[in-house]
Amino acid sequence: MTKSFVVKGNILYCEEMGKIKTEPNGYIVCIDGISKGVFSDIPEEYKDLELYDYTDKLIIPGLIDLHIHAPQFHQRGTGMDMELLDWLNKRTFKQESQFEDLEFADKAYTIFVDAMKKSATTRASMFATRHRPATLLLMEKLEESGLFSYVGKLNMDRHCPDYLCETPEESVSETIRWVKECGKFERTKPIITPRFIPSCTDETMMNLGKIAREYNVPAQSHVSENLSEIKWVSELCPNSRFYGDAYNNFGLFGGDVKTIMAHCVWSCDEELEMMKNQGVFIAHSPQSNTNVSSGIAPIRRYIDMGLKVGLASDVAGGSSESIMRAMVDAVQVSKLRWRLVDQALPCLTIPEVFYMATKGGGEFFGKVGSFEQGYEFDAVVLDDSLIPCPIEMSLEDRLERMIYISDDRHIKAKFVFGEKLI
Amino acid sequence: MTKSFVVKGNILYCEEMGKIKTEPNGYIVCIDGISKGVFSDIPEEYKDLELYDYTDKLIIPGLIDLHIHAPQFHQRGTGMDMELLDWLNKRTFKQESQFEDLEFADKAYTIFVDAMKKSATTRASMFATRHRPATLLLMEKLEESGLFSYVGKLNMDRHCPDYLCETPEESVSETIRWVKECGKFERTKPIITPRFIPSCTDETMMNLGKIAREYNVPAQSHVSENLSEIKWVSELCPNSRFYGDAYNNFGLFGGDVKTIMAHCVWSCDEELEMMKNQGVFIAHSPQSNTNVSSGIAPIRRYIDMGLKVGLASDVAGGSSESIMRAMVDAVQVSKLRWRLVDQALPCLTIPEVFYMATKGGGEFFGKVGSFEQGYEFDAVVLDDSLIPCPIEMSLEDRLERMIYISDDRHIKAKFVFGEKLI
């Protein structure tokens, strides 16, 4: 299939934080999967290319999910009245242990990948389970789907139930074996994934830092999600000045290892400074932070500081895989934080969360998340004519409405790196 | 059409706050629109009735929306980055003024009523606009839909744009004329609806209190939604001890006039005490209170005090007409309130918000919102088999998942007072 074509429609995207550019019924030229830019008319040299005509529809960059737990997909929207530890012990760990069974994993991941394919998400960074074979199975399915993703086989060798706990040796050897086996994938890349500091021994963390460098693999984990977790980490890692410093001591906090850290609800100043200096990506997971009662991350402050922030569904802490929903949640919780906690930090706006959901998170994947020239062409075409409405609206209002109330029925087409998936 | 039949399926409902009763593949008998109760087998005397067989589906009471602005439906999910006053002046008031035009109103309300019919809501209390003819048109469409509703022609004769402002005489005479014209409806009842204290003169408020009594019509409005509004009301009504007292001084705050008050985010102790003593219904509108940055109502406290609390979408302060979504929002904001404001008030749980969404709000409509014997038979049948899932779940988990992630596609059937609408 050729990956060179032109698409026509109402184009909305960001070049910079907080500003949406629009091109009413304009054109994007895609050559070999790469955008040549946005035009009000088709440039002469591209007039003979195939045209996908989405006149009057909305065309936006594909959405980026920086943090999602694939094996928890079937738990979404259940057990949400439990507190975090109960939820992990009574639900999540048991659920994850089933991925030992490849037949179960096959069923569960087939459904998950299908849902991701139908969503507005084009790229995601995922947690799998500790199981190497099931993780590879997930990656095979993702590779086949056409989506681009990072997937992590989890490491967990302490403070978790016996039925999920690895030995330090096993954790490391399985990780190396898995990283090598991932060489066969084009769109699906491994990412080093210690579950979080409390579930990995120092020995394993040290080895993971080495593996990340030796095999040139990025890293992801959780940081500063809730206050009791932070206290626990400070006890477990007395030589760390703060939670993120514990990852940093093992070489898994940005710098030469590209890193995503989920949550950052309660990051201290030093942690933020280190994230900034070392280019750590923050995966803001507003719904999850609400569902497990963690709090509200001061994202306004992080973007003012120039930190790299993307959005995340964090299924199944989050109940929905929709990054549309994550945008709304991000705006909504920022309003509550403004009202209830700190009126010095104004709420987030739709143009800001739209940036985070596209170019902000997209940067982790390279030149991704915009339609500027040179960006990999990921796009979602939204058909809002399915919402009957007696009033005329601006393109910005139509986009906002889609962000607030659309679902997979409104996705008319979806492209990833120039390949049409829907 | 006979309104006597039996339905079979997994039945979930509340008799009391915070407790969900379940009857796996049980039966509800409906005679002339009234429930005869829930049974594990069909009682002998009802064996010959028509059977609606929803084996393995979930059957719940119809959901109740205690506060929704019908004319704002087409604004939902737009302009949400604006502050309240901008949103009212630049968007809402202009939008509402279009309902002067009956042709526009016909289009707009047709779409709205269709959406309500497709939703899980069976009964609602609605705000229309100040326009009598358009309000009657909305009521005709609702009557035809089979839904049960209270609908209010708004009163607003001060502090609003000229193009929407009534004179005090007009406000009262139009209201009386409208109330009389509503006599023709069976399912659709008028409700006295001063927009809120700032938009009605004392003279009009006094007259509305009289009309409510003379014609035996209930009342609804907004109270204690945000702090600057409360301050404004205290200036406008120097003789009132608190916001709710201003309504009370005009006889529009419960007691012999059945009353719904939306929001109650910042109600003072005296206001709460008065609401309790006079049986005022609180329409908790969590999404709206978030979207317009009002805050989080301490609902745990209200239910502990024994106040009457139901849920509301408050479209278009809320972006979704779904009371499923309102249940989730109510749980979620209660978690944030617990974390950020007051750890003495535990978060709400699914069984609690399910009660509010059914029997809690249903009480405003009579014996509505449960399947107990004597209750009007409103039911929604949910088909969660459309969500592919490799794990077995309890009925409670399946209900919770439907609350968190279902949409109108999962509604297999819907009954209102024994009539099957879907």
Side-chain angles (χ1 to χ4, degrees):
Chain A
M1 185 163 69
T2 173
K3 292 164 98 184
S4 299
F5 50 81
V6 177
V7 293
K8 179 181 182 185
N10 292 309
I11 300 161
L12 299 110
Y13 66 107
C14 291
E15 287 185 8
E16 54 184 311
M17 168 54 85
K19 290 194 183 150
I20 297 178
K21 296 196 79 164
T22 59
E23 188 65 53
N25 283 322
Y27 302 86
I28 311 168
V29 175
C30 171
I31 302 293
D32 293 333
I34 306 289
S35 173
K36 288 283 167 185
V38 174
F39 306 93
S40 51
D41 290 300
I42 309 180
E44 195 53 41
E45 60 192 298
Y46 302 124
K47 286 239 193 284
D48 293 336
L49 287 174
E50 182 182 8
L51 176 72
Y52 289 108
D53 189 346
Y54 301 117
T55 300
D56 294 337
K57 309 280 181 289
L58 306 179
I59 306 179
I60 63 170
L63 304 185
I64 313 296
D65 188 343
L66 282 188
H67 183 72
I68 177 167
H69 292 261
Q72 295 174 15
F73 186 68
H74 302 292
Q75 275 181 268
R76 68 200 189 288
T78 62
M80 295 275 83
D81 285 346
M82 294 183 188
E83 305 216 2
L84 181 62
L85 288 183
D86 267 356
W87 182 77
L88 280 171
N89 288 316
K90 291 189 183 161
R91 298 287 175 109
T92 308
F93 286 151
K94 283 188 182 156
Q95 175 72 22
E96 289 193 10
S97 73
Q98 293 191 73
F99 287 80
E100 180 80 41
D101 171 2
L102 275 180
E103 202 177 319
F104 176 84
D106 188 48
K107 274 189 220 162
Y109 283 148
T110 298
I111 297 166
F112 167 72
V113 172
D114 188 51
M116 291 301 286
K117 194 169 167 176
K118 285 180 182 155
S119 78
T121 300
T122 48
R123 312 210 180 201
S125 189
M126 301 178 184
F127 280 47
T129 61
R130 63 155 249 189
H131 313 94
R132 185 184 47 75
T135 303
L136 283 167
L137 185 65
L138 169 61
M139 294 174 84
E140 281 161 18
K141 289 177 189 299
L142 285 164
E143 182 76 8
E144 204 178 321
S145 74
L147 299 167
F148 273 63
S149 48
Y150 285 100
V151 178
K153 171 216 157 330
L154 300 202
N155 301 93
M156 41 200 300
D157 66 351
R158 67 173 177 181
H159 299 304
C160 54
D162 288 346
Y163 58 82
L164 266 185
C165 206
E166 304 170 301
T167 64
E169 298 72 28
E170 184 187 15
S171 192
V172 168
S173 65
E174 285 290 278
T175 300
I176 293 174
R177 185 172 163 193
W178 162 70
V179 168
K180 289 179 177 170
E181 288 171 324
C182 291
K184 62 182 172 183
F185 301 122
E186 280 184 19
R187 304 181 179 92
T188 318
K189 302 292 175 191
I191 183 166
I192 295 298
T193 308
R195 187 173 198 118
F196 69 149
I197 289 283
S199 63
C200 290
T201 57
D202 289 1
E203 178 189 343
T204 291
M205 288 299 287
M206 194 62 77
N207 281 313
L208 292 178
K210 286 185 194 156
I211 296 170
R213 276 167 188 77
E214 187 172 337
Y215 295 91
N216 192 25
V217 179
Q220 63 180 354
S221 197
H222 303 92
V223 81
S224 299
E225 181 174 3
N226 83 49
L227 295 169
S228 51
E229 171 210 23
I230 293 172
K231 187 161 172 289
W232 191 19
V233 169
S234 74
E235 289 158 12
L236 291 168
C237 306
N239 297 327
S240 300
R241 287 169 298 144
F242 48 89
Y243 194 160
D245 193 39
Y247 290 109
N248 190 56
N249 287 338
F250 302 116
L252 291 167
F253 205 64
D256 57 340
V257 175
K258 200 169 63 167
T259 300
I260 298 170
M261 283 286 153
H263 307 309
C264 307
V265 177
W266 301 101
S267 294
C268 63
D269 291 350
E270 275 189 291
E271 186 164 283
L272 296 171
E273 208 52 50
M274 187 181 276
M275 285 197 282
K276 182 173 180 176
N277 294 336
Q278 300 183 183
V280 171
F281 284 76
I282 294 172
H284 177 41
S285 314
Q287 198 185 47
S288 169
N289 297 334
T290 298
N291 281 342
V292 302
S293 302
S294 297
I296 302 173
I299 298 300
R300 162 71 57 212
R301 187 170 169 225
Y302 301 169
I303 60 178
D304 285 351
M305 287 177 68
L307 291 167
K308 295 175 191 296
V309 184
L311 291 181
S313 65
D314 193 21
V315 163
S319 315
S320 167
E321 72 277 19
S322 165
I323 295 298
M324 295 287 193
R325 174 69 191 259
M327 284 191 257
V328 175
D329 288 324
V331 168
Q332 290 181 329
V333 299
S334 78
K335 289 175 173 175
L336 291 176
R337 196 176 193 287
W338 171 82
R339 167 59 70 196
L340 300 172
V341 180
D342 182 1
Q343 298 199 3
L345 293 182
C347 350
L348 300 176
T349 64
I350 285 292
E352 289 169 335
V353 296
F354 185 59
Y355 178 93
M356 289 181 217
T358 55
K359 199 170 173 180
E363 191 190 339
F364 190 77
F365 292 82
K367 292 190 85 167
V368 168
S370 183
F371 294 136
E372 293 160 77
Q373 187 174 6
Y375 272 69
E376 299 182 13
F377 184 74
D378 291 9
V380 173
V381 181
L382 299 169
D383 184 359
D384 61 352
S385 70
L386 302 172
I387 299 178
C389 184
I391 52 177
E392 290 292 313
M393 283 188 189
S394 67
L395 288 183
E396 289 84 351
D397 275 355
R398 289 170 61 188
L399 173 63
E400 184 179 353
R401 184 177 58 175
M402 283 287 94
I403 291 170
Y404 271 88
I405 68 171
S406 72
D407 59 42
D408 55 294
R409 285 172 283 194
H410 302 101
I411 299 176
K412 175 87 181 168
K414 174 170 168 175
F415 297 83
V416 185
F417 198 17
E419 191 172 326
K420 190 169 183 300
L421 305 194
I422 295 179
Chain B
M1 185 162 71
T2 172
K3 292 164 96 181
S4 299
F5 50 83
V6 177
V7 293
K8 178 182 182 186
N10 292 308
I11 300 160
L12 300 110
Y13 66 106
C14 291
E15 286 185 9
E16 55 184 308
M17 169 55 84
K19 290 194 182 154
I20 296 178
K21 295 197 78 162
T22 59
E23 188 64 54
N25 283 321
Y27 302 86
I28 310 168
V29 175
C30 171
I31 301 293
D32 294 331
I34 306 289
S35 173
K36 288 284 167 186
V38 174
F39 306 93
S40 51
D41 291 299
I42 309 180
E44 194 56 41
E45 60 192 298
Y46 302 123
K47 286 239 194 288
D48 294 335
L49 286 174
E50 182 183 8
L51 175 73
Y52 289 108
D53 188 347
Y54 301 116
T55 299
D56 292 337
K57 309 281 181 287
L58 306 179
I59 305 178
I60 63 171
L63 305 184
I64 314 295
D65 189 342
L66 281 189
H67 183 71
I68 178 167
H69 293 260
Q72 296 173 14
F73 187 67
H74 302 292
Q75 275 180 267
R76 67 202 191 286
T78 62
M80 296 274 83
D81 286 346
M82 293 182 190
E83 304 215 2
L84 180 61
L85 288 183
D86 267 357
W87 182 77
L88 280 172
N89 288 314
K90 293 188 183 161
R91 299 287 177 107
T92 309
F93 286 151
K94 283 187 182 157
Q95 175 75 19
E96 289 193 10
S97 72
Q98 292 190 72
F99 287 80
E100 180 79 39
D101 172 2
L102 274 179
E103 203 177 316
F104 176 85
D106 188 48
K107 274 189 221 162
Y109 283 148
T110 298
I111 297 166
F112 167 72
V113 172
D114 187 51
M116 292 301 287
K117 193 169 167 176
K118 285 181 180 154
S119 78
T121 300
T122 49
R123 312 209 182 202
S125 189
M126 300 179 186
F127 280 46
T129 62
R130 64 154 248 188
H131 312 94
R132 185 184 46 76
T135 303
L136 283 167
L137 186 65
L138 169 61
M139 295 174 84
E140 281 161 19
K141 289 178 189 299
L142 285 164
E143 182 76 8
E144 203 178 319
S145 75
L147 300 167
F148 273 63
S149 47
Y150 285 100
V151 178
K153 172 217 156 333
L154 300 202
N155 300 93
M156 42 199 299
D157 64 351
R158 67 172 176 182
H159 299 306
C160 54
D162 288 345
Y163 58 81
L164 266 184
C165 206
E166 303 171 301
T167 63
E169 298 71 29
E170 184 188 16
S171 192
V172 168
S173 65
E174 285 290 279
T175 300
I176 293 173
R177 184 170 164 196
W178 161 69
V179 167
K180 289 179 177 170
E181 287 170 326
C182 291
K184 62 183 172 184
F185 301 122
E186 282 186 15
R187 306 180 178 93
T188 318
K189 301 292 175 192
I191 182 165
I192 295 298
T193 308
R195 186 171 202 122
F196 68 151
I197 289 284
S199 64
C200 289
T201 57
D202 288 3
E203 179 188 343
T204 292
M205 289 298 288
M206 194 63 76
N207 281 313
L208 293 178
K210 285 184 194 155
I211 296 170
R213 277 168 188 76
E214 186 172 339
Y215 295 93
N216 192 26
V217 179
Q220 64 180 354
S221 198
H222 304 92
V223 82
S224 299
E225 180 174 5
N226 82 50
L227 295 170
S228 51
E229 171 210 21
I230 292 173
K231 187 162 170 291
W232 191 20
V233 170
S234 74
E235 289 158 12
L236 291 168
C237 306
N239 297 327
S240 300
R241 287 170 296 145
F242 47 88
Y243 194 161
D245 193 39
Y247 289 109
N248 191 55
N249 287 338
F250 302 116
L252 292 167
F253 204 65
D256 57 342
V257 175
K258 199 169 65 166
T259 300
I260 298 171
M261 283 287 152
H263 307 310
C264 307
V265 177
W266 301 102
S267 293
C268 63
D269 290 352
E270 274 187 292
E271 186 165 282
L272 295 171
E273 207 52 50
M274 189 181 275
M275 286 196 283
K276 181 172 182 177
N277 293 337
Q278 301 182 185
V280 172
F281 284 76
I282 294 171
H284 176 41
S285 315
Q287 198 185 47
S288 170
N289 298 334
T290 297
N291 282 341
V292 301
S293 303
S294 298
I296 303 172
I299 298 299
R300 161 71 56 215
R301 187 170 168 227
Y302 300 169
I303 60 180
D304 285 352
M305 286 178 69
L307 289 167
K308 296 177 191 294
V309 184
L311 291 180
S313 67
D314 192 21
V315 163
S319 315
S320 167
E321 72 277 19
S322 164
I323 295 298
M324 295 286 192
R325 175 68 191 260
M327 283 191 257
V328 175
D329 288 324
V331 169
Q332 290 182 329
V333 299
S334 78
K335 288 176 173 174
L336 291 176
R337 197 178 190 287
W338 171 82
R339 166 60 69 194
L340 301 172
V341 180
D342 183 2
Q343 300 199 3
L345 292 182
C347 349
L348 299 177
T349 64
I350 285 291
E352 288 167 336
V353 296
F354 185 60
Y355 178 91
M356 288 181 218
T358 54
K359 199 171 174 180
E363 191 189 340
F364 190 77
F365 292 82
K367 293 190 85 167
V368 169
S370 183
F371 294 136
E372 294 160 73
Q373 186 173 7
Y375 273 68
E376 299 181 13
F377 184 74
D378 292 7
V380 173
V381 181
L382 299 168
D383 183 0
D384 61 352
S385 70
L386 301 173
I387 299 178
C389 184
I391 51 179
E392 289 292 313
M393 283 187 189
S394 67
L395 287 184
E396 289 84 351
D397 274 354
R398 288 171 60 189
L399 173 63
E400 184 180 354
R401 184 176 58 173
M402 283 286 95
I403 291 170
Y404 272 87
I405 69 171
S406 72
D407 58 42
D408 55 295
R409 285 172 282 193
H410 303 100
I411 299 175
K412 175 89 179 166
K414 174 170 167 174
F415 297 82
V416 185
F417 198 17
E419 190 172 326
K420 189 170 183 298
L421 304 194
I422 295 180

